[in-house]
Each structure stands twice: as structure tokens, then as C-alpha cells.
């Protein structure tokens, strides 16, 4: 059984005052039946961990460097994120791929670093609108999966997030058939590469303009084990109903 995961990515949003959103989320969901994860900016990880201490709420980073330490001004390592008390880290988010030119090989190295530090990596993949319109979606997904994932991993330390680039922050969402097609394809690829046991146990999240109003239908799609939520994770009043929808799925 795959434990469902509602993950929030705050991106470059959030000051200390935003931690009250975590308090509100905790109060609204004192004992969630799904896993709940918030990835705040790195400046808030430590205080978010403290805020979440008496609750199953998990805290994650949004990116890590592939090296454990060294002369990389401005970067943080997976070991640092773990040391700050987080349990997850995102790797390969499309904004990292675009804004920082991250290649699949870089993302694979970061994912490996996350595993070595004892973090669960949420590895993000997804096609652009151009790639979808050219009917290349599955080919792109296969390529990203092959090159962004390390050869050795476990179902416990790896989550895949399928996020079509054109759906992120746009309010545009693929049809449930389109989501299902990609999620089933990812599942098959994972089973082929890592064996049925591991491949069947890795969670696959959908991400891109998830909100309370579309969560029910997205969570009903086969092989959708939760969501990675950007904009609608910033406020507990938006994210809480998504958690509830996942609990009821
Ligand atoms: P969005 O972002 O929910 O704001 O579309 C999703 C993401 O980038 O993870």
C-alpha cells in the first residue's frame, strides 16, 4: 500500500509570519490519514521543523546541491537540510531546470545526494507545452525518468512528481485521461527498471494548478498517489481542503 502524500511547495514565498499557516493546518488536521509535507524556503526550514514537532507534518527542502560540502556560495547540501530537521527534498523542479539550467544528470546527482543524506527525494519531471503538442510527452517522460533517477533507490526514499510545465502556475490542468496516461506509463517504467515490488511501491504525485476545486477528480485517477501543490499550498485555508480531498480519495 502506498501512503498518499499531499505536498506543498512554497517556492520563494514565506517569511516567519507564514508559519502561522502551519499552525492552522495542524489544528485543522490534527491526525491526517495521509502524509502531509510542506517545503518552505530554506530560511524557514528550521523554524518550520520546530512548528511541526508535535504533529506528523513533514518538512522538506526545495533543492539541494549534489555535493555534501564545499565552495559553493549560496547553495545548501542535502546533509544540511537533513541536519535542519527536514525529511524530504525536491529535486528537478521545472523552475530549477529552467532558471538554473539543471540537466537530468545534475538532478540524478542531487537525488543520489539526498538519498545519501537520508532524505526522501521528490523527483520532478514533466513535458513543456511544445513537447505535448508535438505528441512527445511519453518520450520526454521516459527520458527524464531514465536520466534523472539513480540506478539504485528504494520506494521509501523516492517519490516521483509528474508536473507538466504548462500546468504549473497557469490554472491549466491536463484532462484526467492525460494524467492517467502519464501516471500509468511512469508506473510501468518504474516496475521495468526497479522490479515490480519497488516499482509498484514508489509514490507518483501529480502537480500543476492543483486546487481544492479540482483535487477530487485528480485524486480519482489511477496511479495518482497525491499532489505537489504550489500556489494553493501557501494558505492553510487552500491547502487543508486538498489534504481532506486526498484523505477521502
Ligand atoms: P502550482 O505549482 O500548484 O502553483 O501550479 C506546482 C508546482 O510547481 O509544484
Amino acid at each position: 500500500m502506498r501512503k498518499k502524500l499531499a505536498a506543498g511547495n512554497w517556492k520563494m514565498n514565506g517569511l516567519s509570519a507564514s508559519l502561522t499557516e502551519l499552525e492552522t493546518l495542524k489544528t485543522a488536521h490534527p491526525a491526517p490519514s495521509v502524509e502531509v509535507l510542506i517545503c518552505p524556503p530554506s530560511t524557514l526550514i528550521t523554524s518550520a521543523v520546530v512548528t511541526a514537532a508535535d504533529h506528523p507534518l513533514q518538512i522538506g527542502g526545495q533543492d539541494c546541491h549534489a555535493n555534501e560540502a564545499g565552495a559553493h556560495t549560496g547553495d545548501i547540501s542535502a546533509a544540511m537540510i537533513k541536519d535542519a530537521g527536514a525529511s524530504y527534498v525536491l529535486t528537478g523542479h521545472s523552475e530549477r531546470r529552467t532558471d538554473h539550467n539543471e540537466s537530468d544528470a545534475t538532478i540524478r546527482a542531487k537525488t543520489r545526494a539526498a538519498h545519501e543524506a537520508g532524505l526522501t527525494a521528490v523527483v520532478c519531471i514533466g513535458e513543456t507545452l511544445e513537447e505535448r503538442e508535438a505528441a512527445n510527452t511519453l518520450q520526454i517522460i521516459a527520458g527524464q525518468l531514465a536520466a534523472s533517477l539513480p540506478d539504485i533507490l528504494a520506494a521509501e526514499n523516492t517519490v516521483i512528481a509528474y508536473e507538466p510545465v504548462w500546468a504549473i502556475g497557469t490554472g491549466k490542468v491536463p484532462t484526467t485521461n492525460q494524467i492517467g496516461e502519464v501516471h500509468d506509463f511512469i508506473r510501468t517504467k518504474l516496475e521495468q527498471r526497479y522490479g515490480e515490488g519497488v516499482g509498484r511501491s514508489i509514490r507518483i504525485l501529480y502537480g500543476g494548478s492543483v486546487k481544492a476545486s479540482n483535487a477530487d477528480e485528480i485524486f480519482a485517477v489511477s496511479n495518482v498517489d497525491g499532489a505537489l501543490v504550489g500556489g494553493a499550498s501557501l494558505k492553510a485555508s487552500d491547502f487543508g481542503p486538498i489534504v481532506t480531498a486526498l484523505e477521502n480519495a
Side-chain angles (χ1 to χ4, degrees):
M1 263 303 278
R2 299 186 293 268
K3 182 145 195 190
K4 291 176 178 163
L5 173 61
N9 170 15
W10 282 7
K11 309 191 179 185
M12 199 172 74
N13 297 290
L15 301 172
S16 312
S18 316
L19 295 170
T20 58
E21 298 299 332
L22 300 186
E23 295 286 3
T24 310
L25 194 61
K26 279 168 44 180
T27 308
H29 297 270
S33 62
V34 299
E35 207 172 355
V36 182
L37 163 68
I38 293 288
C39 300
S42 49
T43 47
L44 289 182
I45 290 176
T46 307
S47 43
V49 166
V50 171
T51 306
D54 57 351
H55 190 274
L57 174 63
Q58 301 292 305
I59 302 299
Q62 297 175 9
D63 174 56
C64 64
H65 197 278
N67 293 355
E68 204 176 318
H72 303 288
T73 303
D75 282 317
I76 58 173
S77 71
M80 291 167 180
I81 293 170
K82 173 77 176 173
D83 182 56
S87 49
Y88 280 82
V89 67
L90 310 180
T91 59
H93 190 280
S94 77
E95 286 148 23
R96 299 290 315 175
R97 291 178 185 262
T98 305
D99 297 357
H100 299 270
N101 259 320
E102 290 191 8
S103 66
D104 287 327
T106 303
I107 292 153
R108 184 205 295 242
K110 290 183 174 200
T111 302
R112 207 183 291 122
H115 291 165
E116 277 164 15
L119 294 171
T120 297
V122 179
V123 186
C124 307
I125 57 174
E127 82 286 0
T128 63
L129 187 57
E130 217 174 31
E131 289 160 348
R132 175 161 286 275
E133 284 175 346
N136 284 335
T137 297
L138 296 184
Q139 191 190 321
I140 294 294
I141 294 300
Q144 290 178 340
L145 274 179
S148 303
L149 292 180
D151 288 329
I152 297 169
L153 52 71
E156 293 74 30
N157 67 15
T158 309
V159 175
I160 308 297
Y162 167 56
E163 300 202 299
V165 178
W166 52 275
I168 295 176
T170 59
K172 290 188 195 134
V173 182
T175 64
T176 50
N177 279 347
Q178 288 173 323
I179 295 173
E181 181 191 29
V182 176
H183 279 241
D184 290 349
F185 180 77
I186 294 171
R187 178 71 61 214
T188 303
K189 288 287 169 194
L190 292 173
E191 287 178 0
Q192 283 170 354
R193 181 163 173 194
Y194 299 104
E196 259 192 37
V198 173
R200 205 189 294 133
S201 306
I202 294 173
R203 291 171 292 177
I204 308 173
L205 310 182
Y206 168 77
S209 297
V210 175
K211 32 188 196 286
S213 58
N214 59 22
D216 285 333
E217 60 171 348
I218 292 170
F219 294 152
V221 177
S222 83
N223 280 312
V224 172
D225 302 310
L228 180 55
V229 184
S233 72
L234 296 173
K235 294 263 168 257
S237 56
D238 292 327
F239 193 57
I242 296 172
V243 173
T244 304
L246 190 58
E247 288 181 313
N248 295 334

